[in-house]
Amino acid sequence: MTSTDTDPELDRLYRDFAAEHLNPLWTQLGDLMPMTPAPKAVPHVWKWSTLYPLAQRAGDLVPVGRGGERRAIALANPGLGGVPYASPTLWAAIQYLGPKETAPEHRHAQNAFRFVVEGEGVWTVVDGDPVAMRRGDFLLTPGWHFHGHHNETDRPMAWIDGLDIPFVHYTDTGFFEFGSEGVTDEATPDVSRSERLWAHPGLRPLVGLGARVNSPIACYRWEHTDAALREQLALEDEGYAATTEPGHAAIRYTNPTTGGDVMPTIRAEFHRLRGGARTRPRRDVGSSVFQVFDGAATFRLDGREHAVGVGDLVVAPSWVEWSIETDSGADLFVFSDAPIVERLHFDRTHFTEGA
Amino acid sequence: MTSTDTDPELDRLYRDFAAEHLNPLWTQLGDLMPMTPAPKAVPHVWKWSTLYPLAQRAGDLVPVGRGGERRAIALANPGLGGVPYASPTLWAAIQYLGPKETAPEHRHAQNAFRFVVEGEGVWTVVDGDPVAMRRGDFLLTPGWHFHGHHNETDRPMAWIDGLDIPFVHYTDTGFFEFGSEGVTDEATPDVSRSERLWAHPGLRPLVGLGARVNSPIACYRWEHTDAALREQLALEDEGYAATTEPGHAAIRYTNPTTGGDVMPTIRAEFHRLRGGARTRPRRDVGSSVFQVFDGAATFRLDGREHAVGVGDLVVAPSWVEWSIETDSGADLFVFSDAPIVERLHFDRTHFTEGA
Amino acid sequence: MTSTDTDPELDRLYRDFAAEHLNPLWTQLGDLMPMTPAPKAVPHVWKWSTLYPLAQRAGDLVPVGRGGERRAIALANPGLGGVPYASPTLWAAIQYLGPKETAPEHRHAQNAFRFVVEGEGVWTVVDGDPVAMRRGDFLLTPGWHFHGHHNETDRPMAWIDGLDIPFVHYTDTGFFEFGSEGVTDEATPDVSRSERLWAHPGLRPLVGLGARVNSPIACYRWEHTDAALREQLALEDEGYAATTEPGHAAIRYTNPTTGGDVMPTIRAEFHRLRGGARTRPRRDVGSSVFQVFDGAATFRLDGREHAVGVGDLVVAPSWVEWSIETDSGADLFVFSDAPIVERLHFDRTHFTEGA
Amino acid sequence: MTSTDTDPELDRLYRDFAAEHLNPLWTQLGDLMPMTPAPKAVPHVWKWSTLYPLAQRAGDLVPVGRGGERRAIALANPGLGGVPYASPTLWAAIQYLGPKETAPEHRHAQNAFRFVVEGEGVWTVVDGDPVAMRRGDFLLTPGWHFHGHHNETDRPMAWIDGLDIPFVHYTDTGFFEFGSEGVTDEATPDVSRSERLWAHPGLRPLVGLGARVNSPIACYRWEHTDAALREQLALEDEGYAATTEPGHAAIRYTNPTTGGDVMPTIRAEFHRLRGGARTRPRRDVGSSVFQVFDGAATFRLDGREHAVGVGDLVVAPSWVEWSIETDSGADLFVFSDAPIVERLHFDRTHFTEGA
């Protein structure tokens, strides 16, 4: 049932298919429908020590402003032929804003977040609400919310952006609109109005009841994340079930109006491994991007080891076997396309036997 | 179509109905199906200054222990003929625990909470997790969780209990089981393990994912409630929409795994009115119990005014017109059967025109 | 911890409680919170051969019209002191409409259905849509839909009504409004417009997308119910899993916009037992009312047997052990308050061991 | 903020980006994040009169069997560079099975359906349940269900297959497993067991309660679809709101356990336009594939007209303005990726003003 080059009838048939914009299944079934996910994207590591200096050079050479919009430099998965995609679904970039610079406001259907591995002094203004960015913070810009950034200091600042740009581009679901050239509120409060309304544990304001598509919390502060992880490990020490696996604490950032993921397409979590801990090797449907926030670790991705340190980014494509171990302890931020996979019921996880 | 006493045929028919355990609709339609809710329960106020001394006397005279289980004295709505029900669905009681006393462990299908208007020094142990009780705290004991209380101090302590006992009794849905005579963990930590795992804003542990029937947060601490209300009023002062009405801040206690109510049958909220504020007169389907936590206020219930101060309890039955005003400012805890009403789609609210 | 009659201090305390509308828990815990549901309602059987002649006599003596609204005679559970409640939550009545009579239109928050054990010739008009009533049909009148009935024939017709009147009365959640004196559409079509739009298996119209609180199907016709049950038994004969238990076919009437129950408070099902079949003895939280539609059966309720035939009604209160057996085969309609119990998470079922 | 070829520093920076697998946003923002969806896929029509003879030739030249699995010839959107994708998310193919041929069993994570525009005599066996295929039928093979096809007759049969192959391939979410070489049940019943259990309007069996990811109805028969559409137009004639727009009846195939779409990634509907009807011009996020089942129509796609007749297939990519008109009346089957778009909250529709 495969094409034999020597059959002229069949050759003619295939040429006629092509002429009529048709394409047979039987000659390409294995590629189209492999036994298990066979991503073109490959596991890869980007070092912060490479990224940051390149971002700095871009800061010197490329102005930020209307049109280009953002000084963001995206991870281009080596398996994907040069497109600026960390995986088929996920965009991950380092964004760099020089002293006193402003990135103009715009909005788009794509869902976005920022995670800050170092520095401070930039405010993201989301639908008019200024949100301070500080080390360890996780900030949301859900789809169709206006947002701009401005650096109030004399020092540059860099952070990572995560978006669903590749997915939205592929599925033709995106919209984009320019907003103000500057940010619409230049105030520089310590915490955003969104946090003042929403970031109280288990409490919600009586304004705006009901479930929301996106989390209304603009920023998940490091203090809370750190405290939650510390408590999990302390509870483990006291003998209670609190960690994900021995020595492995983890929290998921959630939408407090649903208990689910912060945005419809992106999951974000923070993991803390004690020194000596190792995660159980597993494969998941869907792709993930990790950033080391603190400490150092070794990622094992489909059998190959990658040593990583603070700021380094790691991509694990779908169904790659992955595990992490650390001698000295490690703090890891991670985001993934799990909400897409789960909402469409393609989720599977396989733990490696005997590992 | 109404019974006329003079028709012997009809009299005989009605007697025959009764003999066969039958009952006609047409003679009692108006009572059975009134135009709007016509509760037998009435609006009523219980003064803390009355409740507390009676609880003290009970503390002197009635030991707490297995069998009676709790030294709890329930509000008996004057319209309900002496049963210990604040409303047809809600139980509200003052519970009193003397120095060093212990209320034994048990569990029941009924959902329960405690709210602390004064004092401290008691720990509630919920499924083995000791939860400190302090002023302003709101504590959960959802259905079928073992729980006991013990007072570690030399002073008595009192608080209010809220449950769905009347509803469960009426609908024949309750189960009860005795547990340990003492509490199963006598530790006296400042915060419970449940809070250490769950009370981080917008974060959830990766253990125990998925939606839960009840909130996993055992205690909602006063510090968080107070801060959330303070921020709403500050945001209002700064010109942002954050309060429920002018001068009226409010939070709802929620289940962080769903964003909904803390338990399937009971809603709980905390309201803060600035001095000079007044809530808009309204009627709601379902009944509520308020407790003044701080300050003083006047409740207007179906046109009649009730002045209340700290610790006083107010019951508003279904569809009673209610509003609250305060000269000096007031903090109010409130719980209701709104989840029952809403899940069964009987909810309606009517705001009084021109009020 | 129980009252001792000889302690004058305690007597005084209890008198003072009563004077202040307070009521202690410890003297009545066992009644208020029994180990398992302890319904006052009792299992009971009403014979159609008793019901129908009484309804006929009412037809002769009591006119139907505005005010009394319906010639409905309710089952009054012998355990409930004479109120017209089949169980604490459920109303079940025989309704009787004489030749050419009309029951006027009204609407109420209470959810209602009709089930037809015999006869035809009456149309129920639901929000202006005339719905023919025929043997075996199950008709809905969800909350706040106007409805009236008119008999087009020269013969009387009787059927059973099921509602949540007791529940709504107890929880003070009801509203009522009079409508037209006659029915608003006197047409007598074979099928309702609602069925023409909605009663196609697995298909929905593109008008009115989204989930609805109530099923939009006004009538579930006997032909479909019968066919579904017949197929289950045929599949069982062919060796496939299709029945609930051996010889026991069953369908649930559902809301096609959600797959859930037809109305928020009432579940309805139809069961068919082959000759010789017996259901497994079980207890459920919540109460049920059965009507024999065809054949004959023996109900065993808390160990006592009740022989029933066509038209007979059986009430099984909460947590009563029940099972059904039949020599000759039986068709059974049943409704219950299961949606209340399940939505509030009080549901439990216990199968009798070794039965 | 765009690259100027003459700046050697910038050229070097871009080369260094590329060397490090990085890619700047600012040079390609417009392509990556257009103002509105800018699909590479184009509107296109495939004529049945072309498709069927090519399928016949394939029937003569290419055997069907293990390895190639299916004699399916896919629509290759002319904008997508030759890949066998009707749109970025959807696969649409004509499948052809000769007399007495069998396509072996397999299963895959991809969701699939068949729609039959002509012919009969093939049975699809889904997880062991033989499902007859006849003109107008819509058949499901949800993800991870084994399925094979066998032709019982002496005549060939062709139909269309719809799947989410492109989406699954792009997102790396697919799994595939070979099954039996022949079909596991060679019976040829008129209706499947699945239909006998599930295809009763508003009724569900008591086996397998709860919501299911996919519809349990294996086949939606033409008789029901046709009747539902006929009734909508008849109701419109009688003056009742039943159609989508004047002269435009439509049904959606649904999962009876949820009321939602039949499968997590694919929506399917059937539309009937009276002679003289015209749909309102609109744009939708997401792509659709139409097949004319009966009659003839003119599709207007981004302003260009396409005349189509029975069996012709039309692809409308995301955000293309589309409308349909017909002089003589037309019956249209359509499927789309709307569940993906809606579950991830990218859905938008824009109706053309004044059209």
Side-chain angles (χ1 to χ4, degrees):
Chain A
M1 201 170 165
T2 50
S3 166
T4 55
D5 294 15
T6 54
D7 183 339
E9 281 291 304
L10 204 54
D11 286 352
R12 189 159 33 194
L13 178 66
Y14 289 159
R15 280 199 305 274
D16 290 349
F17 282 167
E20 297 294 344
H21 299 294
L22 296 169
N23 201 330
L25 172 64
W26 57 84
T27 60
Q28 55 196 309
L29 178 70
D31 288 337
L32 270 178
M33 302 176 81
M35 294 292 138
T36 58
K40 285 188 229 153
V42 295
H44 195 73
V45 174
W46 288 259
K47 307 293 287 181
W48 191 248
S49 57
T50 304
L51 287 173
Y52 191 83
L54 284 167
Q56 272 182 311
R57 283 169 58 194
D60 295 338
L61 294 170
V62 183
V64 70
R66 179 60 77 223
E69 300 292 306
R70 298 291 183 264
R71 194 185 291 108
I73 306 157
L75 309 189
N77 191 293
L80 294 177
V83 292
Y85 298 175
S87 82
T89 52
L90 298 174
W91 166 278
I94 179 171
Q95 185 172 159
Y96 183 94
L97 205 57
K100 302 296 181 191
E101 277 189 333
T102 296
E105 294 199 353
H106 59 219
R107 64 177 176 179
H108 40 69
Q110 288 86 350
N111 296 288
F113 72 81
R114 337 264 154 223
F115 178 73
V116 184
V117 75
E118 64 179 32
E120 64 181 48
V122 168
W123 271 257
T124 296
V125 182
V126 181
D127 278 344
D129 186 12
V131 191
M133 300 176 71
R134 289 186 290 264
R135 183 168 188 274
D137 293 345
F138 170 68
L139 295 94
L140 296 186
T141 316
W144 216 238
H145 287 58
F146 277 115
H147 56 286
H149 317 301
H150 63 119
N151 185 342
E152 284 299 297
T153 72
D154 296 326
R155 296 173 310 282
M157 185 179 169
W159 61 85
I160 63 161
D161 287 344
L163 291 96
D164 51 16
I165 290 175
F167 181 83
V168 168
H169 189 260
Y170 185 79
T171 55
D172 298 319
T173 50
F175 293 81
F176 191 99
E177 193 174 303
F178 292 113
S180 165
E181 296 285 322
V183 293
T184 45
D185 189 332
E186 298 197 335
T188 56
D190 256 18
V191 290
S192 63
R193 294 193 296 271
S194 136
E195 292 161 78
R196 292 165 66 192
L197 255 183
W198 281 97
H200 307 280
L203 310 179
R204 66 183 296 171
L206 256 66
V207 287
L209 291 169
R212 298 184 175 197
V213 168
N214 302 297
S215 172
I217 299 179
C219 185
Y220 294 74
R221 296 288 168 197
W222 172 243
E223 297 75 50
H224 301 304
T225 304
D226 183 44
L229 297 166
R230 230 185 306 118
E231 292 288 13
Q232 286 185 24
L233 292 175
L235 284 163
E236 183 184 73
D237 283 337
E238 297 164 28
Y240 295 103
T243 50
T244 305
E245 341 174 61
H248 177 186
I251 58 89
R252 182 171 297 168
Y253 300 101
T254 60
N255 175 347
T257 73
T258 63
D261 286 299
V262 287
M263 299 187 293
T265 54
I266 296 178
R267 171 167 298 166
E269 297 177 350
F270 201 104
H271 293 247
R272 174 169 292 171
L273 298 176
R274 290 181 199 271
R278 181 187 175 176
T279 71
R280 190 172 169 201
R282 59 190 284 175
R283 298 172 187 275
D284 300 283
V285 172
S287 51
S288 299
V289 180
F290 296 82
Q291 186 177 36
V292 181
F293 179 71
D294 206 358
T298 299
F299 276 70
R300 188 184 296 263
L301 299 164
D302 268 351
R304 195 171 147 208
E305 293 192 351
H306 306 261
V308 289
V310 175
D312 295 352
L313 289 144
V314 181
V315 174
S318 187
W319 212 240
V320 161
E321 189 195 51
W322 65 274
S323 62
I324 309 171
E325 53 186 292
T326 172
D327 292 332
S328 55
D331 270 13
L332 303 158
F333 171 80
V334 58
F335 71 102
S336 75
D337 59 6
I340 298 174
V341 173
E342 291 183 5
R343 286 173 189 220
L344 304 177
H345 295 282
F346 291 117
D347 51 305
R348 290 198 196 190
T349 289
H350 178 262
F351 288 96
T352 306
E353 296 289 329
Chain B
M1 200 169 166
T2 49
S3 166
T4 55
D5 294 13
T6 54
D7 182 340
E9 282 290 305
L10 204 53
D11 285 352
R12 187 159 35 194
L13 178 64
Y14 290 159
R15 280 199 305 273
D16 290 349
F17 282 167
E20 297 294 344
H21 299 295
L22 297 168
N23 202 329
L25 172 64
W26 56 85
T27 59
Q28 55 196 311
L29 178 69
D31 288 336
L32 270 179
M33 302 176 81
M35 295 292 138
T36 58
K40 285 187 229 153
V42 295
H44 196 72
V45 174
W46 288 258
K47 307 292 289 180
W48 192 248
S49 57
T50 303
L51 287 173
Y52 192 83
L54 284 166
Q56 272 182 311
R57 283 170 56 194
D60 294 339
L61 294 171
V62 183
V64 72
R66 179 60 76 223
E69 299 292 305
R70 298 289 182 263
R71 194 186 290 108
I73 306 156
L75 309 190
N77 191 292
L80 294 177
V83 293
Y85 297 176
S87 81
T89 52
L90 298 174
W91 166 280
I94 180 171
Q95 186 173 159
Y96 183 95
L97 206 56
K100 302 292 181 193
E101 277 189 334
T102 295
E105 294 200 352
H106 60 219
R107 64 177 176 179
H108 40 70
Q110 290 84 350
N111 296 287
F113 73 81
R114 338 265 155 223
F115 178 73
V116 185
V117 75
E118 64 179 33
E120 65 182 48
V122 169
W123 271 257
T124 296
V125 181
V126 181
D127 277 343
D129 185 13
V131 191
M133 299 177 73
R134 290 187 289 265
R135 183 169 187 274
D137 292 347
F138 170 68
L139 296 94
L140 296 186
T141 316
W144 216 238
H145 287 58
F146 277 114
H147 56 286
H149 316 301
H150 64 120
N151 186 342
E152 284 299 298
T153 73
D154 296 326
R155 296 174 308 283
M157 185 180 169
W159 60 86
I160 64 163
D161 287 344
L163 292 96
D164 51 16
I165 291 174
F167 181 83
V168 168
H169 190 259
Y170 185 78
T171 55
D172 297 319
T173 50
F175 293 81
F176 190 99
E177 193 174 305
F178 292 113
S180 167
E181 296 285 323
V183 294
T184 45
D185 188 332
E186 299 196 336
T188 56
D190 257 17
V191 290
S192 63
R193 293 193 297 272
S194 137
E195 293 162 78
R196 292 165 66 192
L197 254 185
W198 282 97
H200 307 280
L203 309 179
R204 67 183 295 172
L206 256 65
V207 286
L209 291 168
R212 298 184 176 198
V213 168
N214 302 297
S215 172
I217 300 179
C219 184
Y220 295 73
R221 295 288 169 198
W222 172 242
E223 297 76 51
H224 301 304
T225 304
D226 184 44
L229 297 166
R230 232 186 305 118
E231 290 288 12
Q232 286 186 25
L233 293 174
L235 283 164
E236 183 183 72
D237 283 338
E238 298 165 27
Y240 296 102
T243 49
T244 304
E245 339 175 62
H248 177 186
I251 58 90
R252 183 171 297 166
Y253 300 100
T254 61
N255 175 347
T257 73
T258 63
D261 286 299
V262 286
M263 298 188 294
T265 54
I266 296 179
R267 171 166 298 165
E269 297 177 349
F270 202 103
H271 293 247
R272 174 169 292 171
L273 298 176
R274 288 182 200 273
R278 181 187 173 173
T279 71
R280 191 173 169 199
R282 59 189 284 173
R283 298 172 187 275
D284 300 285
V285 172
S287 51
S288 299
V289 180
F290 297 82
Q291 187 176 35
V292 181
F293 178 71
D294 206 357
T298 300
F299 276 69
R300 187 185 296 263
L301 299 164
D302 269 350
R304 197 173 146 208
E305 293 193 350
H306 306 261
V308 289
V310 174
D312 294 352
L313 290 144
V314 181
V315 173
S318 187
W319 212 240
V320 161
E321 190 196 51
W322 66 274
S323 62
I324 310 170
E325 54 186 292
T326 173
D327 292 331
S328 55
D331 271 12
L332 302 158
F333 171 80
V334 58
F335 71 103
S336 74
D337 58 6
I340 298 173
V341 174
E342 292 183 4
R343 286 172 189 221
L344 304 177
H345 295 283
F346 291 117
D347 50 308
R348 290 197 194 190
T349 289
H350 178 262
F351 289 96
T352 306
E353 297 289 329
Chain C
M1 200 168 166
T2 50
S3 166
T4 55
D5 293 14
T6 53
D7 183 339
E9 282 291 303
L10 204 53
D11 286 351
R12 188 160 32 189
L13 179 64
Y14 290 159
R15 281 199 305 273
D16 291 349
F17 282 166
E20 298 293 344
H21 299 294
L22 296 168
N23 202 330
L25 172 63
W26 58 85
T27 59
Q28 56 196 311
L29 178 70
D31 288 338
L32 270 179
M33 302 176 80
M35 295 293 138
T36 59
K40 285 187 231 155
V42 295
H44 195 73
V45 174
W46 288 259
K47 306 293 289 180
W48 191 248
S49 57
T50 305
L51 287 173
Y52 192 83
L54 284 166
Q56 272 182 311
R57 284 169 56 196
D60 295 338
L61 294 171
V62 184
V64 70
R66 178 61 74 222
E69 300 291 304
R70 299 288 183 265
R71 195 186 289 108
I73 306 155
L75 310 188
N77 192 292
L80 294 176
V83 293
Y85 299 175
S87 81
T89 53
L90 298 174
W91 166 279
I94 179 172
Q95 186 173 162
Y96 183 93
L97 206 56
K100 303 293 182 191
E101 278 189 332
T102 295
E105 294 200 352
H106 60 220
R107 65 177 175 180
H108 39 68
Q110 288 86 350
N111 296 288
F113 73 80
R114 338 264 156 224
F115 178 73
V116 185
V117 75
E118 65 180 31
E120 64 182 47
V122 168
W123 272 257
T124 296
V125 182
V126 181
D127 278 343
D129 185 13
V131 191
M133 299 177 71
R134 290 186 290 265
R135 183 171 187 273
D137 293 345
F138 170 67
L139 296 93
L140 297 187
T141 317
W144 216 238
H145 288 58
F146 276 114
H147 56 286
H149 317 301
H150 64 119
N151 185 342
E152 284 299 298
T153 73
D154 296 325
R155 296 173 311 281
M157 183 178 171
W159 60 87
I160 64 161
D161 288 343
L163 292 97
D164 50 17
I165 290 174
F167 181 83
V168 168
H169 190 259
Y170 185 77
T171 55
D172 298 319
T173 50
F175 293 81
F176 190 99
E177 193 174 305
F178 291 113
S180 166
E181 297 286 322
V183 295
T184 45
D185 188 332
E186 298 197 335
T188 56
D190 257 17
V191 290
S192 63
R193 295 192 296 272
S194 136
E195 292 161 79
R196 292 165 67 192
L197 254 184
W198 281 99
H200 307 280
L203 310 178
R204 67 183 296 171
L206 257 65
V207 288
L209 292 168
R212 298 184 176 199
V213 168
N214 302 298
S215 173
I217 300 178
C219 184
Y220 295 74
R221 296 289 168 196
W222 172 243
E223 298 76 50
H224 301 304
T225 303
D226 183 43
L229 297 166
R230 230 186 306 117
E231 291 288 13
Q232 286 185 25
L233 293 174
L235 284 163
E236 182 183 73
D237 283 338
E238 298 165 27
Y240 296 102
T243 50
T244 304
E245 349 178 51
H248 177 186
I251 58 90
R252 183 172 297 167
Y253 300 101
T254 60
N255 175 348
T257 73
T258 63
D261 286 299
V262 287
M263 298 187 294
T265 54
I266 296 178
R267 170 167 299 166
E269 297 177 349
F270 201 103
H271 293 247
R272 174 169 292 170
L273 298 176
R274 291 180 198 272
R278 180 187 176 177
T279 71
R280 189 171 170 200
R282 59 189 284 174
R283 299 172 186 274
D284 300 284
V285 172
S287 51
S288 300
V289 179
F290 297 81
Q291 186 176 35
V292 180
F293 178 72
D294 207 358
T298 299
F299 275 70
R300 187 185 296 263
L301 299 164
D302 268 351
R304 195 172 148 209
E305 293 193 353
H306 307 261
V308 289
V310 175
D312 295 351
L313 289 143
V314 181
V315 173
S318 187
W319 214 238
V320 160
E321 191 196 49
W322 66 274
S323 62
I324 310 170
E325 53 186 293
T326 173
D327 292 332
S328 55
D331 272 11
L332 302 158
F333 171 80
V334 58
F335 70 103
S336 74
D337 58 7
I340 298 174
V341 173
E342 292 183 3
R343 286 172 190 220
L344 304 178
H345 295 282
F346 291 116
D347 49 307
R348 292 198 194 189
T349 289
H350 178 261
F351 289 96
T352 306
E353 297 290 329
Chain D
M1 199 167 168
T2 50
S3 165
T4 55
D5 293 15
T6 54
D7 182 339
E9 282 291 304
L10 204 51
D11 285 352
R12 187 159 35 191
L13 178 64
Y14 289 160
R15 281 198 304 274
D16 290 350
F17 282 166
E20 297 293 345
H21 299 295
L22 297 168
N23 201 329
L25 172 65
W26 58 84
T27 60
Q28 57 196 311
L29 178 69
D31 287 338
L32 270 178
M33 301 177 81
M35 295 294 139
T36 59
K40 285 188 229 154
V42 295
H44 196 74
V45 174
W46 287 259
K47 307 291 289 179
W48 192 248
S49 57
T50 304
L51 286 174
Y52 190 83
L54 284 166
Q56 272 182 310
R57 284 169 57 194
D60 294 338
L61 294 171
V62 183
V64 70
R66 178 61 76 223
E69 300 290 306
R70 298 292 183 262
R71 195 186 290 108
I73 306 156
L75 309 189
N77 191 293
L80 294 177
V83 292
Y85 298 175
S87 81
T89 51
L90 298 174
W91 166 279
I94 179 171
Q95 186 173 160
Y96 183 94
L97 206 56
K100 302 293 180 194
E101 277 189 334
T102 294
E105 293 201 353
H106 60 219
R107 65 177 175 178
H108 39 68
Q110 289 86 348
N111 295 288
F113 72 81
R114 337 264 156 224
F115 178 73
V116 184
V117 74
E118 63 179 34
E120 63 182 49
V122 168
W123 271 256
T124 295
V125 181
V126 181
D127 277 343
D129 185 12
V131 192
M133 300 176 72
R134 291 186 290 264
R135 183 169 188 273
D137 292 347
F138 169 68
L139 296 94
L140 296 187
T141 316
W144 217 238
H145 287 59
F146 276 114
H147 56 286
H149 317 301
H150 64 119
N151 185 342
E152 285 299 297
T153 73
D154 296 326
R155 295 173 311 283
M157 185 179 170
W159 61 86
I160 64 162
D161 287 344
L163 292 97
D164 51 16
I165 291 175
F167 181 83
V168 168
H169 190 258
Y170 184 78
T171 55
D172 297 319
T173 50
F175 292 80
F176 191 99
E177 193 174 305
F178 293 112
S180 165
E181 296 285 323
V183 295
T184 45
D185 189 331
E186 298 197 336
T188 57
D190 257 16
V191 291
S192 63
R193 294 193 297 270
S194 136
E195 292 161 78
R196 292 165 66 193
L197 254 184
W198 281 98
H200 307 281
L203 310 178
R204 66 182 298 171
L206 256 65
V207 287
L209 290 169
R212 298 185 175 197
V213 168
N214 303 297
S215 173
I217 300 178
C219 185
Y220 295 74
R221 296 288 169 197
W222 171 243
E223 298 74 47
H224 301 303
T225 303
D226 184 43
L229 296 167
R230 232 186 305 116
E231 290 288 13
Q232 286 186 24
L233 292 174
L235 283 163
E236 183 184 72
D237 283 339
E238 297 165 28
Y240 296 102
T243 51
T244 305
E245 345 175 56
H248 178 186
I251 57 90
R252 182 171 298 167
Y253 300 101
T254 60
N255 175 348
T257 73
T258 64
D261 287 298
V262 286
M263 299 187 293
T265 54
I266 295 178
R267 170 166 298 165
E269 297 178 349
F270 201 104
H271 293 248
R272 174 168 292 169
L273 298 175
R274 290 181 197 272
R278 180 186 176 177
T279 71
R280 189 171 170 202
R282 60 188 284 175
R283 298 171 186 276
D284 300 284
V285 172
S287 51
S288 299
V289 180
F290 297 82
Q291 186 176 37
V292 181
F293 178 71
D294 206 358
T298 300
F299 275 70
R300 187 185 295 263
L301 298 164
D302 268 351
R304 199 173 145 205
E305 293 192 351
H306 306 260
V308 289
V310 174
D312 296 351
L313 289 144
V314 181
V315 174
S318 186
W319 212 239
V320 161
E321 191 196 50
W322 66 275
S323 62
I324 310 170
E325 54 187 294
T326 173
D327 292 333
S328 54
D331 271 12
L332 302 158
F333 171 78
V334 59
F335 70 103
S336 74
D337 58 6
I340 298 174
V341 173
E342 292 183 4
R343 285 173 190 220
L344 304 178
H345 296 282
F346 291 116
D347 50 308
R348 291 197 195 190
T349 289
H350 178 262
F351 288 97
T352 306
E353 297 289 328

